[in-house]
Amino acid sequence: MTEKVENTKKVKIPRHDMPCQEPQVRARNFEEVALGYAQETAIEEAKRCLQCKNPKCVTGCPVSVLIPEFIKKIAEGDFQEAGNVLKVKNSLPAVCGRVCPQEAQCESKCILGIKGESVAIGRLERFAADFGMQSGKSEVVKPQSSGKRVAIIGAGPAGLACAGDLAKDGHAVTIFEALHVAGGVLMYGIPQFRLPKEIVQTEIDNLKQMGVEILTNQVVGKITSVDELMENGYDSVFIGTGAGLPYFMDIPGENLNGVYSANEFLTRTNLMKGYKFPEYATPVKVGKNVAVLGAGNVAMDSARTALRLGAENVYIIYRRSRDEMPARKEELEHAEEEGIQFRLLTNPVAIEGDERGWVKSLTCLRYELGEPDASGRRAPVAIKGSEFEIPMDTVVVAIGQGPNPLVTTSTPGLELNKRGNIVADPDTLVTSKPGVFAGGDIVTGAATVILAMGAGKKAAAGIDQYLKGK
């Protein structure tokens, strides 16, 4: 059979669905929604790959994973080696296989997607990474020491990815993390039902085996500074503190009891294990009716979390239409399946409270779409006289977040843009301070886990060249 005929057959093979918990079951538990491919399914899906000589999929991956190579190993049934190939470029493959928007990255470049459905690269990545974890046979190779020391501020995706690559280069890496556990948004932001914390911890433990030192409860900007780190034995510093400062809408009632930022709401639930109250002493009161303001992935995480915490009605309040919602298609579908109610072309104008200072209702305006704005999305226009009120117990504001100024304001000479983000060279990620690099959300503003990891890897390459005098 010719290669052309064989590839034509592959185009016609349907993409294999991800098995999931049933919506009515998962909506009331915090177990992982997606169950993962069985071995036979993974092999069949991997065989759909055309093994292109010029793989476009790799160009769509921010960390340049060797996609055809690891998929080929799965197709051959060599799952352990598939995981090893993944780790050549990606320090957190089990994380990326779960939360990366592959449909907008590697899978969007897949040739199969032109006339059919792309290879399920993310699902195969998860499969191979999980197999490696469960087998316990992943090899950790420690390179010869370079004699250089690097301090990394922030143990989120950017910091962890940077640490992994620097450790492979032989540099001694110490991560300074403000919270009591490492992981950043992977631990405090993304819910257990999308990204089990045991998976994240295993990935972090692998970095420790590579020699990465992680110090927690270390608030840089208070207990020490970037300059002090450079003066006390570190040859370079990477700032990967993310975007942890929540934005609010600046509407009446945001100071009422029962109003959360998505950051606080998810941190209390995920990091502080609020969903296990009273086993863990972090109660999260939601009541019967919950409104989540926003329509991105964080908003979907907040809404689905509120449902699992016992809310009867959970609303997504968004001033644009379904087509403009920025959340991943998969997250939107999962939310709707579970019973999340979308109130579209609706914008909150005030949060009303009772005599005790608790939320009692949300006042909104109805909107219609006008002409496209600067972003290309049709601008929402308020409909006069359309004001209405919805009974509400809890409001979660999930409209984005910006850079925490703690590190930047304690670092003289560090150039910032007008939004308070660090200015870094786009090729090396070096900042205005020699030897100090930065990447991830602290530079770009809030983005995805994989883009932050890509920045961490780019910074590691820049730091490595800097330390070698190049």
Side-chain angles (χ1 to χ4, degrees):
M1 186 180 294
T2 67
E3 182 179 355
K4 185 175 181 180
V5 173
E6 180 66 25
N7 286 347
T8 300
K9 287 183 64 179
K10 290 182 178 181
V11 171
K12 295 180 180 179
I13 299 173
R15 175 177 163 124
H16 295 80
D17 292 335
M18 171 67 83
C20 295
Q21 288 191 68
E22 290 298 321
Q24 65 271 23
V25 176
R26 70 184 192 232
R28 296 300 176 183
N29 71 57
F30 277 83
E31 301 300 317
E32 189 169 12
V33 169
L35 303 176
Y37 278 163
Q39 292 186 9
E40 297 78 8
T41 307
I43 290 173
E44 289 303 310
E45 183 62 32
K47 286 180 178 178
R48 296 181 65 233
C49 179
L50 300 178
Q51 291 295 316
C52 302
K53 293 179 181 178
N54 181 26
K56 303 290 186 183
C57 55
V58 177
T59 67
C61 176
V63 297
S64 302
V65 164
L66 304 174
I67 294 171
E69 290 87 341
F70 95 79
I71 289 179
K72 185 181 182 193
K73 292 299 179 183
I74 293 176
E76 295 170 350
D78 192 350
F79 308 137
Q80 187 66 48
E81 186 57 24
N84 293 337
V85 172
L86 269 176
K87 288 197 170 184
V88 171
K89 295 287 187 176
N90 190 348
S91 300
L92 309 171
V95 170
C96 291
R98 286 168 164 81
V99 302
C100 286
Q102 292 95 359
E103 68 280 0
Q105 295 175 160
C106 54
E107 292 179 8
S108 72
K109 306 289 185 181
C110 177
I111 299 300
L112 278 183
I114 296 174
K115 293 184 178 180
E117 295 180 293
S118 63
V119 175
I121 299 170
R123 295 168 184 174
L124 292 175
E125 180 179 32
R126 168 185 165 157
F127 171 81
D130 285 1
F131 184 89
M133 281 187 178
Q134 292 160 7
S135 71
K137 296 179 180 178
S138 297
E139 294 182 2
V140 176
V141 179
K142 290 186 178 181
Q144 184 176 350
S145 173
S146 68
K148 301 292 185 179
R149 299 177 68 207
V150 181
I152 292 178
I153 305 173
L160 295 174
C162 186
D165 278 19
L166 288 172
K168 291 176 184 177
D169 292 329
H171 307 308
V173 180
T174 302
I175 301 179
F176 294 81
E177 168 56 44
L179 296 174
H180 63 283
V181 296
V185 70
L186 306 176
M187 281 295 200
Y188 74 73
I190 303 175
Q192 177 80 8
F193 55 83
R194 276 218 297 137
L195 179 62
K197 304 311 154 206
E198 301 81 5
I199 295 289
V200 182
Q201 190 58 55
T202 300
E203 299 274 48
I204 291 170
D205 290 343
N206 289 338
L207 289 177
K208 290 180 178 179
Q209 290 178 27
M210 294 169 62
V212 175
E213 180 184 25
I214 301 178
L215 304 178
T216 55
N217 299 308
Q218 304 291 308
V219 184
V220 175
K222 290 294 184 181
I223 64 166
T224 188
S225 68
V226 170
D227 288 340
E228 287 174 347
L229 291 171
M230 292 291 284
E231 292 166 1
N232 288 289
Y234 288 99
D235 300 290
S236 183
V237 173
F238 173 72
I239 304 173
T241 48
L245 190 66
Y247 294 145
F248 284 88
M249 295 193 66
D250 195 23
I251 60 176
E254 283 187 316
N255 289 327
L256 289 166
N257 295 318
V259 179
Y260 295 90
S261 69
N263 190 308
E264 179 189 357
F265 184 70
L266 292 172
T267 298
R268 291 173 71 89
T269 307
N270 300 326
L271 185 65
M272 306 306 294
K273 300 290 190 291
Y275 70 96
K276 291 186 176 181
F277 181 81
E279 179 184 349
Y280 287 80
T282 308
V284 184
K285 180 180 181 292
V286 293
K288 292 183 178 180
N289 301 303
V290 177
V292 178
L293 314 184
N297 291 325
V298 174
M300 296 306 140
D301 285 344
S302 299
R304 298 172 69 195
T305 294
L307 194 66
R308 286 161 170 79
L309 288 172
E312 294 179 9
N313 298 295
V314 181
Y315 306 95
I316 289 287
I317 310 292
Y318 184 54
R319 63 180 184 153
R320 299 179 191 264
S321 73
R322 173 70 178 250
D323 292 340
E324 285 80 31
M325 297 176 85
R328 293 179 68 187
K329 179 184 176 184
E330 178 181 277
E331 299 308 316
L332 293 173
E333 291 173 350
H334 281 173
E336 281 194 310
E337 289 170 359
E338 292 168 9
I340 303 301
Q341 302 173 52
F342 291 177
R343 292 291 183 95
L344 305 178
L345 294 171
T346 301
N347 199 44
V349 294
I351 304 169
E352 313 297 340
D354 62 19
E355 66 282 356
R356 298 178 299 117
W358 286 87
V359 172
K360 72 170 185 179
S361 65
L362 186 67
T363 302
C364 300
L365 278 177
R366 300 191 193 281
Y367 274 59
E368 60 186 0
L369 292 180
E371 296 301 314
D373 61 14
S375 70
R377 296 186 297 180
R378 294 176 65 191
V381 180
I383 299 173
K384 291 183 179 179
S386 64
E387 192 171 287
F388 67 100
E389 197 170 340
I390 315 173
M392 207 63 61
D393 300 298
T394 298
V395 175
V396 180
V397 184
I399 60 171
Q401 53 274 341
N404 189 311
L406 199 56
V407 172
T408 55
T409 55
S410 64
T411 309
L414 188 64
E415 184 183 355
L416 308 178
N417 64 20
K418 62 182 180 180
R419 295 184 180 86
N421 297 100
I422 298 173
V423 175
D425 181 272
D427 296 321
T428 63
L429 295 185
V430 68
T431 69
S432 56
K433 290 179 73 71
V436 178
F437 295 71
D441 291 1
I442 190 63
V443 171
T444 62
T448 63
V449 167
I450 192 64
L451 288 176
M453 289 179 60
K457 288 178 68 67
K458 181 183 285 188
I463 292 169
D464 183 56
Q465 292 298 300
Y466 169 78
L467 295 177
K468 292 175 178 175
K470 299 179 181 180

